[in-house]
Amino acid sequence: MHLYINQTISGPNPNQLVVVNGSQQAPLFFGLTAISDWTILDGPGPNASVVGRAQGMHFQSGHIREKWYTSMNFLFEDTR
Protein backbone atom coordinates (compact mmCIF):
# COMPACT_ATOMS: atom_id res chain seq x y z
CA MET A 1 0.00 0.00 0.00
CA HIS A 2 1.26 3.45 -0.93
CA LEU A 3 -0.24 6.61 0.51
CA TYR A 4 0.60 10.19 -0.38
CA ILE A 5 0.49 13.26 1.87
CA ASN A 6 -0.52 16.49 0.18
CA GLN A 7 1.25 19.51 1.67
CA THR A 8 0.16 22.94 0.38
CA ILE A 9 1.96 25.85 2.04
CA SER A 10 0.82 28.67 -0.27
CA GLY A 11 -1.96 29.61 -2.67
CA PRO A 12 -5.69 30.02 -2.07
CA ASN A 13 -6.15 26.90 0.12
CA PRO A 14 -3.00 26.21 2.17
CA ASN A 15 -3.15 23.28 4.59
CA GLN A 16 -0.17 24.39 6.66
CA LEU A 17 0.23 27.65 8.56
CA VAL A 18 3.23 29.16 10.34
CA VAL A 19 1.98 30.30 13.77
CA VAL A 20 5.34 31.36 15.30
CA ASN A 21 8.02 32.90 13.09
CA GLY A 22 10.97 32.00 15.34
CA SER A 23 14.31 33.75 15.03
CA GLN A 24 14.93 35.76 11.90
CA GLN A 25 18.43 34.31 11.54
CA ALA A 26 18.25 32.48 8.22
CA PRO A 27 18.68 29.70 7.29
CA LEU A 28 17.71 27.96 10.56
CA PHE A 29 14.72 30.03 11.79
CA PHE A 30 15.08 28.42 15.23
CA GLY A 31 11.67 28.18 16.91
CA LEU A 32 9.59 28.46 13.73
CA THR A 33 6.36 26.57 14.42
CA ALA A 34 3.77 25.40 11.90
CA ILE A 35 0.40 23.68 12.24
CA SER A 36 -0.77 21.34 9.49
CA ASP A 37 -3.90 19.57 8.31
CA TRP A 38 -2.61 17.64 5.29
CA THR A 39 -4.76 15.32 3.21
CA ILE A 40 -3.70 11.69 2.79
CA LEU A 41 -4.34 10.42 -0.74
CA ASP A 42 -4.53 6.91 -2.21
CA GLY A 43 -2.41 7.84 -5.21
CA PRO A 44 -0.50 10.60 -6.97
CA GLY A 45 -2.07 13.12 -9.29
CA PRO A 46 -5.43 14.81 -9.70
CA ASN A 47 -7.52 11.59 -9.75
CA ALA A 48 -6.46 10.48 -6.26
CA SER A 49 -9.05 10.13 -3.50
CA VAL A 50 -8.72 11.48 0.04
CA VAL A 51 -8.51 8.58 2.50
CA GLY A 52 -7.57 10.53 5.62
CA ARG A 53 -5.80 13.49 7.18
CA ALA A 54 -2.41 14.06 8.80
CA GLN A 55 -2.87 16.71 11.48
CA GLY A 56 -0.16 18.05 13.75
CA MET A 57 2.59 20.53 14.40
CA HIS A 58 6.23 20.97 13.41
CA PHE A 59 8.90 23.20 14.84
CA GLN A 60 12.49 23.96 13.99
CA SER A 61 14.33 22.67 17.06
CA GLY A 62 17.93 22.86 15.88
CA HIS A 63 19.98 25.84 16.98
CA ILE A 64 23.22 24.86 15.21
CA ARG A 65 21.86 22.53 12.47
CA GLU A 66 18.43 22.34 10.90
CA LYS A 67 16.37 19.80 12.84
CA TRP A 68 12.59 19.52 12.87
CA TYR A 69 10.38 18.06 15.57
CA THR A 70 7.10 16.70 14.19
CA SER A 71 4.07 15.42 16.06
CA MET A 72 1.12 14.20 13.98
CA ASN A 73 -2.11 12.26 14.23
CA PHE A 74 -3.23 10.21 11.24
CA LEU A 75 -7.01 10.13 10.90
CA PHE A 76 -8.31 7.69 8.32
CA GLU A 77 -11.75 8.44 6.90
CA ASP A 78 -11.96 5.64 4.33
CA THR A 79 -12.98 2.15 5.45
CA ARG A 80 -10.48 0.51 3.09
Side-chain angles (χ1 to χ4, degrees):
M1 175 190 315
H2 294 275
L3 298 174
Y4 300 81
I5 294 178
N6 180 33
Q7 177 187 25
T8 307
I9 59 174
S10 63
N13 296 309
N15 60 11
Q16 178 173 309
L17 176 67
V18 172
V19 293
V20 177
N21 283 326
S23 73
Q24 300 301 312
Q25 299 172 1
L28 294 181
F29 297 101
F30 179 69
L32 184 138
T33 303
I35 304 298
S36 63
D37 184 11
W38 301 335
T39 52
I40 300 173
L41 308 171
D42 63 358
N47 296 325
S49 297
V50 174
V51 296
R53 307 193 81 71
Q55 299 172 327
M57 69 172 194
H58 326 275
F59 59 84
Q60 179 20 324
S61 59
H63 194 275
I64 304 298
R65 294 191 180 130
E66 184 175 356
K67 298 203 185 270
W68 287 89
Y69 172 85
T70 300
S71 175
M72 299 191 88
N73 290 312
F74 294 95
L75 308 165
F76 291 97
E77 302 166 348
D78 191 313
T79 58
R80 290 183 280 167

